[in-house]
Amino acid sequence: MASSVFWVSLCVFALALSISSASEDSHVLGYSPSDLHSEPKLLSLFEAWNLKHGKHYTAAQRLEKSRRFHIFRENLMRIDAHNKKEGSTFKLGLTRFADLNQEEFKQSRRLGLKLPVHRLGSLRHHSNRKPAPSSIVNDLAGSVDWRSLGAVTSVKDQGMCGSCWAFSATGAIEGANAIATGSLVSVSEEELVTCSSASGCDGGLMDEAFEWVINNGGIATEETYPYSSYSGISAACNTGLEEQYKSVSIDGYADVTPYSEEALMEAVSKQPVSVAIEASAWDFQLYAEGVYNGTCSSDPYDINHGVLLVGYGSDNGVNYWIVKNSWGSSWGDGGYIRMIRNGSPFGICAIHSLSSYPLKHASTAPAIAAIAES
C-alpha cells in the first residue's frame, strides 16, 4: 500500500514537472489519450489539474475530493469524445471548471445576467424575420480585432460573484474611452458591484451599469477601486472613493438593433460592444479553442451571461465573433472564445439578442480613433 502511494505521488511529481514550463504557455491543461485508460494516470492528471488551479484537499475532505475526481473523469471522457469528432470547428479541454458537472456550473454564480423581460418580450415573434442587409456592412473591413488596436484590457476574473454584467460594461467603457482619448485605462467593476443600484453579485444588466456611470459623473479606475468580490461577498460602497475618483466618464449609451447579425457587425466595427449570451452549456464550460458551434441555447429567454464582443473574422471560410469572457485566462483560449457567425436571427447562444455600447465623444484626435476611422 505504501509503495503504491509512493508511486502515485512520484507520478504526480513527474507530471507536475512536465507541465510546469508548458503551463506558462498553455492556459488549459493538456492530456494524453492514454490517460483515459489508466486509473493512476487519471489520478495524476487530476492532481496536476488541482495544482495548476490552486485546489487543495485535507484528509477530512477525502470524500469531496473523490467526488470531484469522478466528475473530472466524466468530463474528460466527454472532452475526448468531442475532440475525436470529425468536422468539429472547436476543441474542448480541462478548463478551470473541469471538476464541476453542468448543474453545479449553472449554480456557481459564474454567470449573473438578469433577464430584461421588458426588452425581450417581442423577440420570439420575429424569430423568422431577417432584417434587410445593410449596405454599410458591405463596406466593413473583413475582420476587426480591438485587442490589436489597443482598446481592450487584459482578461479579468469575476470569481464566484454574479457580476458578469459589470465586467461586460467596464470592458465596453474601457474600449470607448480608449478610442476617444487614445489612453487604455482599466476601470472598476467593484464600484459598479457595490455602489450602483444593481444587485451586485446577484446579477445585473449592462445598460443599468452605463446609466449609473453617466448619473455618477464617471467611474474610478481598477487601481483606485480594486475588485474584492471574487468570493461572492460584496463589501459596502466606499463612498469616499466613489465620490472622489471619477476618472473615466461616458456621454451616453446605445442599444444595438436586436436579432440582426449585420447590426452587431456594424456596431463592433466601431468599438467593443457589451453582449448577452447563454453560457451554461457543458461544451461552453469546457471550451478550449477553435470556433464554437456547440449546444448552447439560442433562445433569447435563456440568456444568462454578459460578455464583451471585441471583433469578428473568418477562419478557413468559417465566420466568427471574438468574445472576451470574465472567467480568467485558464478558461477558453486565454480567456477568449471565438463563436460562429451563422446568419441565424438570434445568433449562436442568442448573441444577437441584447447588445449595447457606451458613447464617448473624442475631445482631441487620438491615435486609436484615427485608426478606427481609417
Side-chain angles (χ1 to χ4, degrees):
M1 180 67 178
S3 61
S4 62
V5 171
F6 172 79
W7 175 248
V8 170
S9 299
L10 184 61
C11 289
V12 172
F13 178 71
L15 184 58
L17 284 178
S18 68
I19 67 167
S20 60
S21 58
S23 63
E24 296 299 321
D25 301 318
S26 176
H27 297 287
V28 176
L29 182 66
Y31 70 94
S32 168
S34 64
D35 294 334
L36 280 65
H37 308 292
S38 166
E39 190 78 0
K41 287 185 177 181
L42 282 171
L43 286 168
S44 296
L45 188 65
F46 180 59
E47 293 290 0
W49 182 88
N50 283 325
L51 181 65
K52 179 179 177 66
H53 296 287
K55 296 198 172 188
H56 307 282
Y57 294 92
T58 65
Q61 296 173 309
R62 61 185 183 279
L63 292 179
E64 175 62 14
K65 184 178 182 180
S66 176
R67 180 171 179 269
R68 290 294 145 210
F69 169 68
H70 286 293
I71 294 173
F72 177 88
R73 178 168 55 186
E74 290 174 2
N75 279 334
L76 180 57
M77 299 302 173
R78 299 180 79 180
I79 289 168
D80 189 64
H82 169 86
N83 290 346
K84 288 177 178 176
K85 292 180 180 177
E86 292 186 8
S88 177
T89 58
F90 67 102
K91 297 291 186 182
L92 303 180
L94 293 169
T95 70
R96 63 185 304 182
F97 308 122
D99 66 342
L100 299 176
N101 63 38
Q102 187 181 5
E103 191 56 36
E104 288 174 330
F105 179 71
K106 286 181 180 180
Q107 302 301 322
S108 67
R109 300 183 85 184
R110 292 285 180 175
L111 307 173
L113 185 91
K114 284 194 170 179
L115 187 67
V117 178
H118 64 287
R119 284 190 54 192
L120 295 175
S122 64
L123 283 180
R124 280 179 173 163
H125 300 296
H126 300 281
S127 60
N128 296 317
R129 172 185 160 193
K130 289 190 69 175
S134 169
S135 60
I136 297 177
V137 171
N138 296 329
D139 299 327
L140 296 179
S143 62
V144 172
D145 188 342
W146 284 105
R147 295 173 296 180
S148 64
L149 295 174
V152 183
T153 58
S154 60
V155 171
K156 302 178 183 180
D157 190 353
Q158 69 187 76
M160 298 298 293
C161 174
S163 53
C164 62
W165 58 275
F167 284 81
S168 174
T170 57
I173 292 170
E174 291 161 352
N177 183 68
I179 292 168
T181 68
S183 178
L184 181 60
V185 179
S186 183
V187 300
S188 174
E189 294 80 23
E190 186 68 18
E191 186 175 13
L192 289 175
V193 169
T194 58
C195 299
S196 74
S197 58
S199 301
C201 284
D202 293 325
L205 282 171
M206 288 78 83
D207 281 6
E208 292 177 355
F210 297 148
E211 289 176 1
W212 184 87
V213 173
I214 294 167
N215 294 332
N216 190 57
I219 185 171
T221 65
E222 190 89 54
E223 182 179 7
T224 301
Y225 206 139
Y227 191 64
S228 60
S229 294
Y230 186 90
S231 67
I233 300 175
S234 299
C237 176
N238 188 327
T239 54
L241 286 177
E242 187 267 335
E243 292 175 1
Q244 183 177 359
Y245 295 99
K246 304 178 189 292
S247 303
V248 174
S249 63
I250 56 175
D251 301 305
Y253 70 94
D255 295 325
V256 180
T257 301
Y259 50 88
S260 170
E261 183 176 295
E262 291 84 0
L264 193 53
M265 283 184 67
E266 184 179 344
V268 77
S269 72
K270 299 174 181 177
Q271 65 188 88
V273 176
S274 288
V275 295
I277 60 174
E278 195 284 302
S280 57
W282 74 273
D283 50 8
F284 196 97
Q285 172 188 344
L286 301 171
Y287 166 83
E289 62 180 41
V291 180
Y292 179 79
N293 187 20
T295 63
C296 63
S297 171
S298 292
D299 188 329
Y301 281 81
D302 291 334
I303 57 175
N304 52 19
H305 191 46
V307 289
L308 184 69
L309 182 62
V310 300
Y312 60 82
S314 298
D315 185 3
N316 293 321
V318 180
N319 298 327
Y320 59 80
W321 301 111
I322 307 171
V323 175
K324 179 187 182 185
N325 205 346
S326 53
W327 293 344
S329 61
S330 56
W331 172 87
D333 190 358
Y336 286 86
I337 181 171
R338 289 186 294 161
M339 304 175 69
I340 195 167
R341 284 189 288 128
N342 57 13
S344 64
F346 295 149
I348 184 74
C349 306
I351 195 172
H352 302 162
S353 302
L354 190 72
S355 312
S356 57
Y357 53 90
L359 303 173
K360 173 97 174 175
H361 305 314
S363 57
T364 60
I368 296 178
I371 293 172
E373 293 170 359
S374 63

